Amino acid sequence: MTKNKRFDWILLIILFSYFMILLDNSIIFTGTVKIAQELQLNQQTLSWVSSAYSLTFGGFLLLGGRAGDLFGRRRIFEIGLTIFGLGSLIVGLAVNAPMIIVARAFQGIGSAILAPTTLAILMDTYEGPARVRAIAYYGAMAGIGASVSLVIGGVFASLLTWRVGFFINVPISIWMFYLAMRHLKADRGQNGGKLDWVGTITSLIGMSALVYSIVGTWAKLPAVILAIVMLTGFIFQERQTTQPIMPLRLFADRERLGAYLGRFLYLGSMLGFWFITPQLMQNQLGFSALMAGIAFFPLTIVNFIVALQVARLTAKWGNGWLLIVGIGLTLIGMFWLSFFTPELGYWLGIALPMAVIGVGQGLSLSPFTAAGVAHTQGRDAGAASGVVNVMHQIGGSVGLAILVAVQNMAHSQVAGFQQAILTGSGLLLLALLAAVFLILPGERK
């Protein structure tokens, strides 16, 4: 376990690696117009620049989480970094649609390895108050990174080129690889552990088919059927095998179950909010892509300040109560935002409710992460981290699809935005119920 040091290199490796993943998601949000113009992509092809990444990210997450348990965290982390860095380089060099789509899919595999492995390294390295503090920073990065990345993506797309956002990952990946070799301990994983190949293949096909049924453009019904068949087979296999890729015992704990369900719903609401709000500001308030990114500062700054207090507040209130307050404030902010009209303007209609959402987000994401890996043994840390990230990724994709569908049913963009944000508020209400009836009682038990 880590001791007091002058500088915590391991935490830097964990947080920087996570930030790279978040940065790439947000660059696509702010750079889509420029990418479409430069590579001459139509709307359907452009959607696959994001969807290809989502498909492999969601599909490989469980495998990425379990691989670290079995074969050693540092080795798997370095493989993930190499794939992610190489994928970023190819995306930056892309000259046509097939090249950028394949590169984004390859990059998604790297992200699927990095996201759960970094969280598992955190669980291995820290304990006690140091672990609470490290998880607080990790959870804060999920919110801060996503909103800061919108600004960075806007700067790159507006002032330089969208390619810079991908090229910048290459030297960062090389630096992270060097730091990992120097500061992460080499571990061999579980002696005698074997990969559950049947579980791996059924989860890979099942999760990919599930993501495709959400983000795909044709044959969505066959994808849903394939996902149901494969995931049913996957669960049956996990019950039978002695070395499952996703131990079903992870779901037996009430606190973890509530955290998985709550995170799914919470991220569904948040990703939809991050996606449709910049578009509204550009179309209804005349903001540029860069200004729309900067307009997220009320959320980002408040989120950052609040997130730094989470470790202290957890010790005072407990994880469950902090989460209930956080989700409740996010719900209030989202409900307030649903009353936006162009007449209200930016400050009253968006900035102030966004600040309330920022407080709620700052209080929520770290406790969600802590509850998702609560009471796990070392042998299951990677698998639990994989499930946390699956709920984050799949929840975000499902919520985004729901909110965009609701928005598109309305007769105007403002009415569509109001209805979509109200739907997001409904998802947050369900997340709040999961915290009240599952996470809090589970924590007390």
Side-chain angles (χ1 to χ4, degrees), residues 23 30 33 50 75 87 113 152 173 197 216 235 245 261 297 306 310 361 370 395 406 420 428 436:
L23 179 63
T30 49
V33 175
S50 286
R75 184 188 305 166
I113 296 170
I152 295 173
S173 295
W197 283 107
I235 292 168
I245 188 173
L261 182 61
F297 269 169
V306 171
V310 164
Q361 190 175 284
V406 170
L428 289 172
V436 170

Side-chain angles (χ1 to χ4, degrees), residues 74-114:
R74 193 180 93 174
R75 184 188 305 166
I76 296 300
F77 176 76
E78 289 168 350
I79 290 170
L81 265 182
T82 304
I83 293 172
F84 185 83
L86 191 57
S88 297
L89 177 64
I90 300 169
V91 173
L93 294 171
V95 293
N96 54 37
M99 188 174 176
I100 193 171
I101 289 169
V102 170
R104 283 288 285 165
F106 187 65
Q107 200 184 25
I109 297 171
S111 295
I113 296 170
L114 286 176

Side-chain angles (χ1 to χ4, degrees), residues 167-189:
F167 284 143
I168 204 171
N169 286 332
V170 179
I172 294 174
S173 295
I174 294 169
W175 184 47
M176 289 290 107
F177 197 100
Y178 167 73
L179 290 179
M181 290 180 67
R182 280 203 62 180
H183 299 285
L184 294 182
K185 67 177 183 182
D187 59 322
R188 298 191 177 189

Side-chain angles (χ1 to χ4, degrees), residues 48 56 178 223 229 270 287 335 380 382 415 426:
W48 273 104
T56 51
Y178 167 73
V229 170
M270 286 292 97
F287 285 19
F335 186 66
D380 290 337

Side-chain angles (χ1 to χ4, degrees), residues 46-365:
L46 182 64
S47 70
W48 273 104
V49 177
S50 286
S51 299
Y53 179 85
S54 299
L55 205 61
T56 51
F57 191 7
F60 280 83
L61 267 170
L62 291 176
L63 173 60
R66 196 56 171 166
D69 290 337
L70 295 175
F71 307 120
R73 307 255 192 257
R74 193 180 93 174
R75 184 188 305 166
I76 296 300
F77 176 76
E78 289 168 350
I79 290 170
L81 265 182
T82 304
I83 293 172
F84 185 83
L86 191 57
S88 297
L89 177 64
I90 300 169
V91 173
L93 294 171
V95 293
N96 54 37
M99 188 174 176
I100 193 171
I101 289 169
V102 170
R104 283 288 285 165
F106 187 65
Q107 200 184 25
I109 297 171
S111 295
I113 296 170
L114 286 176
T117 306
T118 49
L119 183 53
I121 289 169
L122 185 156
M123 296 294 291
D124 286 349
T125 309
Y126 304 94
E127 62 183 3
R131 180 184 285 184
V132 173
R133 190 164 55 251
I135 288 178
Y137 290 143
Y138 185 92
M141 182 60 78
I144 296 166
S147 42
V148 167
S149 297
L150 283 172
V151 181
I152 295 173
V155 169
F156 287 155
S158 301
L159 305 181
L160 299 167
T161 166
W162 60 269
R163 296 178 189 272
V164 174
F166 294 98
F167 284 143
I168 204 171
N169 286 332
V170 179
I172 294 174
S173 295
I174 294 169
W175 184 47
M176 289 290 107
F177 197 100
Y178 167 73
L179 290 179
M181 290 180 67
R182 280 203 62 180
H183 299 285
L184 294 182
K185 67 177 183 182
D187 59 322
R188 298 191 177 189
Q190 294 174 10
N191 290 328
K194 292 180 182 177
L195 190 61
D196 168 22
W197 283 107
V198 175
T200 298
I201 292 166
T202 50
S203 74
L204 193 57
I205 297 172
M207 293 297 292
S208 299
L210 179 62
V211 175
Y212 180 83
S213 70
I214 301 162
V215 302
T217 47
W218 54 274
K220 295 175 80 162
L221 183 59
V224 172
I225 296 167
L226 180 62
I228 291 169
V229 170
M230 285 293 169
L231 291 175
T232 302
F234 168 65
I235 292 168
F236 181 77
Q237 167 66 11
E238 299 310 275
R239 288 182 63 187
Q240 306 299 317
T241 185
T242 53
Q243 294 186 328
I245 188 173
M246 186 186 75
L248 296 182
R249 58 181 171 266
L250 291 174
F251 298 90
D253 182 274
R254 197 171 179 181
E255 184 178 357
R256 284 198 300 267
L257 179 62
Y260 299 149
L261 182 61
R263 193 181 192 99
F264 180 93
L265 295 161
Y266 191 92
L267 262 295
S269 178
M270 286 292 97
L271 198 71
F273 157 73
W274 285 325
F275 182 76
I276 65 178
T277 307
Q279 295 177 19
L280 179 92
M281 290 190 282
Q282 290 175 72
N283 293 332
Q284 297 296 325
L285 299 176
F287 285 19
S288 65
L290 176 59
M291 280 304 297
I294 292 171
F296 270 79
F297 269 169
L299 184 150
T300 308
I301 293 167
V302 170
N303 189 341
F304 181 74
I305 293 167
V306 171
L308 293 179
Q309 313 303 316
V310 164
R312 183 175 59 81
L313 292 172
T314 301
K316 187 176 180 181
W317 291 353
N319 203 61
W321 275 113
L322 194 63
L323 191 49
I324 288 168
V325 171
I327 301 170
L329 286 170
T330 313
L331 173 56
I332 291 167
M334 283 286 276
F335 186 66
W336 182 357
L337 187 66
S338 71
F339 290 95
F340 169 83
T341 60
E343 292 73 32
L344 270 179
Y346 168 71
W347 288 105
L348 190 58
I350 294 176
L352 287 176
M354 205 183 258
V356 178
I357 293 170
V359 176
Q361 190 175 284
L363 293 175
S364 299
L365 287 172

Side-chain angles (χ1 to χ4, degrees), residues 400-410 415-421 423:
L400 177 59
I402 291 170
L403 265 63
V404 169
V406 170
Q407 183 183 35
N408 291 340
M409 285 190 291
F417 176 82
Q418 291 171 341
Q419 289 165 21
I421 293 295
T423 304

